[in-house]
Amino acid sequence: MDCKRFIEEQITSIKETIGEAKAINALSGGVDSSLVTMLGHRALGEQLRTVLIDNALMRKGELEYVVKSFASLDIEVELVDARQEFLDALAGLTDPEEKRQAITDTFYSKVFGRLVRESGAKFLLHGTILTDIEETVDGIKRQHNILTQLGINTEAVYGYSVLEPLKTLRKDDVREVAKLAGLPAEISQRIPFPGPALATRIVGEITLERIETVRIATAIVEEELADSDAFQYMAVLLNDRATGIRNKKRQFGQIIVVRCIESTDARTATVTQLPWEKLNRISERITGIEGVNRCLYDLTPKPPATIEYI
Ligand code: XMP
């Protein structure tokens, strides 16, 4: 694809659609929302307010990392603490689609609705990509960021219009455009991380304690596999327990799954054949986490599995 032309067209189109109005966008630190932030600021400058919503589900060090990375690109990112709202909305839920729905509602209706009202923004710039749309419309799973394609009139429901400059791109195209748009390689080549964040990696109820367990495991996996060249890698906390031994005593502990996959666009994926020593090292570190006594490696391609667990 012609990335240069794509960037120019999108900047012109964002300018034309928004005119003199105010716009807002949520940055998660992933490549999709980072690229939207970049294009949006090039098109709108000060008319665009970029927020980073702390939903209590972010990875270790993520908030600081994102704010710092964009500060070095001269883009101000405003932190919004919405941790309690997300935790309250998720409390007691175990069904994956109900959890996704709770995150969508909290994000677009409660937190964003409030920000939009306060700021007087008329438009939300959104990092939806083609794969998100296809899988939601096909009924595979409800991606948190799909609204208009499900027939939701965002203006009537949430009070703002949604603009989706990346909706014709797949992940590999997004990375290429991101590079050309001036995002540093550490962002343009960043492994995908979903909007609902660590919630997609917790099977069963989401509590502060369970988030912390998966957060530590995620940091270990990301550290160990940073040099793997894989498309995506993650840690997942299961809802089951297994018997093990801790301090010479029986322990009914938690189970972490490690997943590492190869893909170009996330529509299909195969499992990375990681070296045995690497898997062993990850397992040793993961089972060192408080309360965790088993570590499994997921051997399932997509399909039949999806990449995330909820
Ligand atoms: P699945 O699990 O559907 O994931 O095979 C495909 C790709 O999409 C990411 N993903 C999401 N990204 N919002 C996002 O922004 C979501 O709700 C969402 N769910 C999955 C996932 O990490 C993978 O790269």
Side-chain angles (χ1 to χ4, degrees), residues 28 32 100 104 127-129 131-132 135-136 140-146 171 191-197 200-201 231-232 234 259 261 265-267 269 302 305-310:
S28 70
D32 308 342
R100 283 179 168 270
T104 301
T128 326
I129 66 170
T131 321
D132 301 340
E135 297 212 326
T136 301
I140 293 172
K141 77 172 74 165
R142 186 198 199 298
Q143 301 270 353
H144 82 288
N145 49 4
I146 303 299
K171 204 58 145 198
I191 55 165
F193 188 70
T200 59
R201 293 157 190 193
F231 177 82
Q232 196 169 2
M234 64 191 74
R259 185 146 173 72
I261 52 129
D265 58 14
R267 280 189 303 169
K302 174 183 179 177
T306 56
I307 294 172
E308 305 289 345
Y309 268 56
I310 78 154

Side-chain angles (χ1 to χ4, degrees), residues 219-228 233 278 281-282 285:
I220 293 172
V221 170
E222 291 194 355
E223 215 178 287
E224 290 290 338
L225 298 181
D227 60 359
S228 68
Y233 34 87
K278 187 52 113 180
R281 172 151 176 81
I282 293 173
R285 290 187 65 188

Side-chain angles (χ1 to χ4, degrees), residues 29-30 36 42 51 61 72 89 196 238 261 290:
V36 167
R42 288 205 9 212
V51 295
S72 66
L238 296 188
I261 52 129
E290 171 92 25

Side-chain angles (χ1 to χ4, degrees), residues 93-108:
L93 301 184
T94 52
D95 178 81
E97 288 296 293
E98 281 178 19
K99 290 197 278 189
R100 283 179 168 270
Q101 187 66 50
I103 290 173
T104 301
D105 290 344
T106 309
F107 191 87
Y108 292 101

Side-chain angles (χ1 to χ4, degrees), residues 57 94 116 141 149 165 195 203 264 269 292:
L57 297 157
T94 52
V116 167
K141 77 172 74 165
Q149 292 82 1
V203 185
T264 49
V292 177

